[in-house]
Amino acid sequence: MGLVRSGSVDKAALAAGTIRLASGISFLVDPVRANRWWGDKEEPVTTTRLLLRSMGYRDALIGGLLVHAALRGRDTRRWFLASGGADASDLLGGLAVHDQMTRSQQLVGLGGAVVGIGVGLWGASRRRTR
């Protein structure tokens, strides 16, 4: 029931999950500041704040479950896939408004999504560690 021995912890999943969890928490605690960190310099309207918080819940949930699986020595591949899938949905949504985004939003927001997809696919395609 407890944590596994440190040798059995999936360190890559722990790192990726911690980053996603921290990002999600930042969007829940202060969505305006987190939004600025991801490249948007404008003050978001109310509906945008709702979407930022929703993204925060999503990222905190996926990141927390990835961390949980990593610490318990469980198969983390499905959580890597969920993480990459979340970033893929962000990329697809961002591509629809790419021409309306500032250069900073394109580089940080869409570039971050591409990196996240790559990490998710890499993590999902790894052999199961024991």
Side-chain angles (χ1 to χ4, degrees):
M1 292 280 190
L3 297 179
V4 297
R5 289 174 283 126
S6 63
S8 299
V9 172
D10 183 340
K11 292 178 181 86
L14 181 60
T18 300
I19 291 168
R20 184 166 287 279
L21 176 62
S23 176
I25 290 171
S26 74
F27 276 100
L28 294 173
V29 171
D30 191 349
V32 174
R33 183 180 295 178
N35 194 42
R36 283 193 189 113
W37 193 82
W38 282 100
D40 192 355
K41 304 302 179 209
E42 301 294 320
E43 185 71 20
V45 296
T46 304
T47 52
T48 302
R49 289 177 192 223
L50 167 66
L51 295 172
L52 292 171
R53 286 189 185 276
S54 294
M55 188 171 67
Y57 285 115
R58 177 201 72 189
D59 287 351
L61 177 65
I62 292 170
L65 291 168
L66 185 53
V67 166
H68 181 265
L71 291 175
R72 299 278 190 266
R74 296 186 180 149
D75 187 1
T76 58
R77 293 175 296 178
R78 63 185 175 175
W79 293 114
F80 269 109
L81 191 57
S83 182
D87 287 319
S89 68
D90 292 343
L91 179 62
L92 288 174
L95 289 175
V97 293
H98 180 267
D99 59 329
Q100 299 167 27
M101 298 172 84
T102 65
R103 185 71 175 147
S104 174
Q105 291 169 324
Q106 292 170 353
L107 291 173
V108 177
L110 298 180
V114 169
V115 169
I117 292 167
V119 170
L121 290 173
W122 169 79
S125 65
R126 297 181 313 152
R127 289 181 186 225
R128 170 116 161 83
T129 57
R130 292 243 172 213

